Amino acid sequence: MQTMRVESAKYMTEMDFPFWVKRFIHTDFNIPPAHSHEFVELIFVVKGKGEHVFEGVSYPIKQNDIFIINPGEVHTYTVQSGESLEIINCLFLPNLINHKWLKELGISESMDFFYIHPFLNEKERFHHRINLNDRHSTRILDLLNALMFEFEARKPCFMTLVRLQIVELFILLSRIFNEKRINSFHSSESNQDNIIVQRIRGYLERHYDEKICIPELCHLFGISSRHLNRVFKKVCGKTVIEWVHQIRIDKAKYLLIHSDEKVITVATKVGYEDPAFFSKLFQRMVGCSPGKYKLKEQ
């Protein structure tokens, strides 16, 4: 199945405000083709039902489901003849909200912004959507409607209000998920370890191109360096730094194939200031140099 890549520029025209939101009604006549994108997409099902085709596998979706599609994940929908699926699409890039601002608000440690942990399980990725009850769905829908109003009306200070409402939306979703988790089972130590590792991995996926500092991670997630290294190795089979290298090299492989950037530029874009170190690491992890990889895959 062929897939298309959707770039953020199609929806987001203001680089300092990478956000877009709209309501859609899908039927069997207007289903989008399978696609991936470079932005984060939050989807709320307002009415109806259908199938969400995620990474080639179909899952039923229904009213009050809410879920996130992360960058690079391929998805589309199917709707039976005579049925309809009304959704709200909320698209944004991680730089919509400045992390320093989140720290000042005191919420960065209690919320995984953009990549909330219920959506991070790789084995059952899409099963971790949330189906909201009537009380929660009413509040979330009100927030999404407020976001659409501000985005479309574009009145003074609308960007600030959108950012505030996005923060509120994700705090509420984190709270709802935690309530569901607590009500369904008592978390064991293993479950807690998995959750903290998923949160850290989500953070690393967003900040892989920046300098990753273990003490800062420990401070951000309220964990000691000894405990961080132990649980990360136990869950992932790699250290934090090894995981960062893997993310960066995977991103570099994508850029080498899908762009005309030079190797030295790719190295910088994925977080390596020293191109020679990047090339040696790439050779060790991939089995060939970045230049040979680019030629081989083209």
Side-chain angles (χ1 to χ4, degrees):
M1 178 177 64
Q2 278 194 327
T3 62
M4 59 181 288
R5 174 81 173 179
V6 181
E7 302 297 331
S8 59
K10 181 177 179 181
Y11 299 98
M12 304 165 193
T13 57
E14 298 166 274
M15 295 302 293
D16 62 339
F17 186 64
F19 177 83
W20 186 90
V21 63
K22 192 169 184 178
R23 186 186 298 247
F24 287 97
I25 298 179
H26 290 305
T27 68
D28 57 327
F29 294 108
N30 68 345
I31 294 298
H35 61 281
S36 65
H37 35 69
E38 60 179 346
F39 44 79
V40 182
E41 178 178 5
L42 180 140
I43 300 160
F44 177 71
V45 181
V46 182
K47 291 180 184 177
K49 60 182 180 179
E51 297 275 327
H52 188 260
V53 184
F54 175 81
E55 296 289 334
V57 181
S58 294
Y59 302 93
I61 53 177
K62 61 183 180 179
Q63 183 174 352
N64 295 338
D65 275 353
I66 190 164
F67 50 94
I68 287 175
I69 305 300
N70 292 316
E73 296 177 333
V74 178
H75 74 119
T76 185
Y77 306 94
T78 60
V79 179
Q80 294 295 319
S81 178
E83 299 281 355
S84 66
L85 183 68
E86 183 177 347
I87 64 172
I88 294 175
N89 270 16
C90 187
L91 318 178
F92 43 87
L93 291 173
N95 64 338
L96 177 68
I97 305 295
N98 188 307
H99 266 262
K100 291 182 179 178
W101 182 53
L102 289 177
K103 287 181 181 179
E104 289 174 0
L105 290 175
I107 60 175
S108 57
E109 294 183 27
S110 63
M111 178 182 71
D112 298 308
F113 207 72
F114 303 124
Y115 292 75
I116 325 171
H117 54 73
F119 304 104
L120 288 174
N121 187 303
E122 290 184 349
K123 293 181 180 178
E124 295 186 287
R125 165 68 176 80
F126 191 71
H127 288 259
H128 284 245
R129 67 190 184 276
I130 300 175
N131 184 259
L132 304 173
N133 61 31
D134 289 342
R135 177 171 59 87
H136 289 145
S137 65
T138 298
R139 188 168 180 186
I140 295 298
L141 183 56
D142 285 345
L143 258 177
L144 289 168
N145 282 329
L147 280 166
M148 285 190 288
F149 172 80
E150 291 297 336
F151 184 68
E152 292 169 5
R154 307 180 87 81
K155 294 184 177 183
C157 298
F158 82 96
M159 293 183 184
T160 301
L161 282 173
V162 164
R163 289 184 168 100
L164 288 169
Q165 288 163 346
I166 282 286
V167 171
E168 182 180 359
L169 175 65
F170 278 92
I171 291 175
L172 285 173
L173 288 178
S174 290
R175 179 191 294 173
I176 291 166
F177 176 76
N178 284 324
E179 287 175 358
K180 284 178 173 284
R181 180 172 58 84
I182 291 169
N183 290 336
S184 62
F185 64 94
H186 294 290
S187 295
S188 65
E189 181 181 352
S190 178
N191 287 325
Q192 293 289 357
D193 288 347
N194 285 332
I195 287 171
I196 192 68
V197 169
Q198 287 171 3
R199 295 181 65 201
I200 294 168
R201 282 171 55 178
Y203 179 88
L204 297 178
E205 283 284 348
R206 301 193 299 279
H207 299 278
Y208 67 89
D209 57 340
E210 303 172 11
K211 185 177 180 180
I212 301 298
C213 175
I214 297 297
E216 185 175 344
L217 282 178
C218 293
H219 175 73
L220 188 61
F221 292 98
I223 184 173
S224 70
S225 59
R226 181 180 179 183
H227 188 55
L228 169 62
N229 290 324
R230 181 181 68 81
V231 298
F232 207 92
K233 184 79 171 179
K234 181 181 75 171
V235 174
C236 300
K238 297 177 184 289
T239 67
V240 173
I241 299 304
E242 288 171 340
W243 195 264
V244 172
H245 286 321
Q246 186 63 63
I247 293 172
R248 288 176 171 176
I249 295 302
D250 287 344
K251 301 290 185 184
K253 287 163 68 176
Y254 179 87
L255 289 173
L256 288 167
I257 296 172
H258 294 94
S259 76
D260 296 324
E261 303 283 9
K262 295 180 179 179
V263 171
I264 189 171
T265 305
V266 170
T268 303
K269 282 193 170 183
V270 299
Y272 295 109
E273 296 178 358
D274 184 350
F277 176 80
F278 165 70
S279 294
K280 288 180 182 178
L281 183 66
F282 193 98
Q283 174 82 40
R284 177 164 60 83
M285 295 181 66
V286 181
C288 65
S289 69
K292 287 184 178 179
Y293 181 83
K294 186 178 183 71
L295 290 172
K296 182 179 68 173
E297 296 296 329
Q298 285 180 340

